[in-house]
Amino acid sequence: MTSADTGESALELRRDGLLLSARQFGEADAPLVMLLHGFPDSPHSWDGLIPLLVDSGFQVLTPWLRGYTPESARRHARYDLMAVADDIAAWHRALGGPPTHLVGHDWGAFAAMVLSKRQPRQWLSLTQLAIPPFGAGFPPAAARQLPRQTVMSSYIPVMQSGASHRLLTRHDAAFVRRLWRRWSPGWDFTEAEFAPTATVFTDPATAHAATRYYRSLFTVHRAPTRRFHRVLMAAPAPIPTLALSGARDGCMSPPMQLALARSAGVDAAQIPDAGHFLHAEQPVAVAEHLLRHLHATSR
């Protein structure tokens, strides 16, 4: 992907004493697609998908999650998914509140889910990658995957530690590389593809901020944590929703993802030969499903 191909511009937004960053692509009067990244990742994981969206008539915004850039990593700041959802809403307002499709991966999918449930009329559609819809019950087909999912989620207690950022930054982000290989087995990612993520997770300040998302999940004495869990378990938003997963996902059980998507009654598809980072591994296959969904719900 080159800037000349997509009309890339850099944007900044000040919120909560932080300087947030994003990249914008395409024509400003086109329908907007907001691509929200997750952990341990960066907006550059969308680079293979962005030209396909722009060529199909969409403009694209790819924000960095707060804490993933040096200017947004501060000890005093909040690093939780309610704050991230508020950041995304602020980006939307800064662009004039155009008709917008939400597309999120991993943490980005959780933030998109929160936004869709809080203000469903504000969004044209929702697409969740590698994270299924929550709030529509827990069917037996999903419950059968819990033992496997418990093993897959064993990294979460590690991230709960206040010293976890030291593990992530050690040996040129070697632990993060192992997560990428475990979560997307078979993906022979290049050094260039990993480089933006390595920049985040070799910096002690940004690595520390990124791990605080995990600690915020269980701080039930904090009002934002309680609000997040209430919103998460509320009924899915009444907007067109697509759930995409990789058949080889080593972070979130693929059968569980399909079971929860079907329980929520949303469109769902699984990408063969792809893992957790399906949009980076198989951008053309992801675009095939995503563009069909976006065109059907644009106005």
Side-chain angles (χ1 to χ4, degrees), residues 4-46:
D5 294 332
T6 56
E8 177 180 349
S9 58
L11 303 180
E12 294 181 341
L13 179 68
R14 291 194 178 275
R15 266 185 53 77
D16 296 345
L18 306 175
L19 182 62
L20 305 179
S21 304
R23 298 180 301 158
Q24 187 179 25
F25 306 85
E27 300 294 332
D29 59 351
L32 176 63
V33 180
M34 300 183 80
L35 301 177
L36 314 178
H37 75 89
F39 169 91
D41 205 354
S42 83
H44 288 281
S45 64
W46 301 107

Side-chain angles (χ1 to χ4, degrees), residues 142-286:
R144 286 193 290 271
Q145 298 300 317
L146 281 175
R148 180 186 181 192
Q149 186 58 53
T150 300
V151 174
M152 288 176 148
S153 298
S154 60
Y155 72 97
I156 293 179
V158 177
M159 294 300 103
Q160 295 289 311
S161 166
S164 57
H165 64 287
R166 297 191 183 97
L167 172 64
L168 297 182
T169 57
R170 195 177 300 159
H171 305 307
D172 195 27
F175 183 83
V176 178
R177 290 172 186 270
R178 289 198 296 273
L179 286 182
W180 273 38
R181 293 189 180 104
R182 184 185 310 158
W183 291 359
S184 283
W187 181 29
D188 187 20
F189 57 86
T190 66
E191 284 301 307
E193 288 171 319
F194 187 71
T197 296
T199 298
V200 176
F201 291 99
T202 53
D203 181 324
T206 50
H208 183 263
T211 59
R212 286 177 60 189
Y213 285 75
Y214 286 94
R215 291 189 285 284
S216 76
L217 286 176
F218 303 103
T219 53
V220 293
H221 60 285
R222 297 175 62 248
T225 301
R226 296 193 298 273
R227 286 198 299 271
F228 169 70
H229 286 286
R230 283 197 299 269
V231 174
L232 181 67
M233 300 316 297
I239 64 174
T241 300
L242 172 66
L244 295 177
S245 55
R248 295 180 176 179
D249 194 329
C251 176
M252 184 77 183
S253 161
M256 177 179 284
Q257 292 189 59
L258 279 179
L260 289 173
R262 289 167 178 163
S263 177
V266 306
D267 292 336
Q270 204 156 83
I271 308 300
D273 300 322
H276 190 66
F277 302 99
L278 60 158
H279 55 298
E281 301 169 66
Q282 301 281 353
V284 174
V286 168

Side-chain angles (χ1 to χ4, degrees), residues 51 81 210:
L81 290 165

